[in-house]
Amino acid sequence: MIRHLATSRTQGGFTITELLVASIIAGVILLAVMSIYLTSMQAWDRSGARLALQRRGDLAMERIVSDIRDGSRVEITNGGTTMAIYRATASGDSLVGNYLLVDDELKNGSGTVLAEGLTELAFTSGNGVKVRIEMSLYDNAGTPTLTTDDESIQLETVAVCRNRSLY
């Protein structure tokens, strides 16, 4: 009979302490999973913003470099923020293109915005034929009051005028 009493006390079920411990462990695991998920989503957003900046900057650089290669000389003014590209012709130099920094936008001569969000633009040339272009872009697409979620990139390249045929 004593043996029967001992087995009847060990019925199936959980004590309140076991439920509390299991709840705490599940909460810690859920917190860790949510933290990893949120960090991954933030990294995804930041990499997307950097990719968009890189694409905008690359497209602007490609356009400028293409015009430089079509030209025979460049003139840089306004402290290196404005550049005019010329091609030598039989009747004199003709303008191939010009680029300038207006506020935080890179514009061409017709006023088309090639890139926005520039913090720096510098055209430099020692000989009027070889041009170094440095450009820094930023994006304020995150939370407007936070700067920690803003992205920025720096681009630089060198281009050489190829159309050296003088008439």
Side-chain angles (χ1 to χ4, degrees), residues 14-167:
F14 299 104
T15 65
I16 201 83
T17 306
E18 291 171 331
L19 285 174
L20 186 60
V21 168
S23 297
I24 290 172
I25 291 171
V28 167
I29 291 171
L30 185 62
L31 183 64
V33 168
M34 287 303 293
S35 175
I36 291 170
Y37 173 76
L38 291 174
T39 302
S40 298
M41 290 306 295
Q42 289 171 346
W44 178 269
D45 289 342
R46 290 183 71 125
S47 65
R50 287 184 64 80
L51 182 62
L53 278 176
Q54 185 75 39
R55 183 168 169 77
R56 278 193 312 217
D58 285 346
L59 288 173
M61 284 283 205
E62 286 175 17
R63 177 95 180 257
I64 296 169
V65 167
S66 175
D67 280 352
I68 291 171
R69 288 180 179 159
D70 286 343
S72 55
R73 70 177 180 87
V74 298
E75 286 182 5
I76 298 170
T77 57
N78 292 333
T81 61
T82 302
M83 177 177 60
I85 305 161
Y86 297 95
R87 179 183 304 133
T89 64
S91 60
D93 286 349
S94 66
L95 184 66
V96 173
N98 58 341
Y99 299 92
L100 60 148
L101 179 64
V102 178
D103 296 326
D104 70 342
E105 297 176 333
L106 171 62
K107 294 185 176 186
N108 65 10
S110 62
T112 303
V113 176
L114 301 177
E116 56 189 6
L118 273 75
T119 57
E120 177 190 359
L121 176 66
F123 299 114
T124 53
S125 177
N127 60 6
V129 175
K130 183 177 180 181
V131 181
R132 180 181 180 87
I133 307 165
E134 297 174 72
M135 183 186 311
S136 296
L137 294 100
Y138 75 95
D139 124 337
N140 192 12
T143 310
T145 56
L146 293 176
T147 57
T148 56
D149 61 358
D150 297 342
E151 291 296 325
S152 65
I153 61 165
Q154 290 78 37
L155 301 169
E156 61 182 68
T157 192
V158 174
V160 178
C161 295
R162 292 185 180 167
N163 187 354
R164 294 297 295 163
S165 59
L166 298 174
Y167 293 95

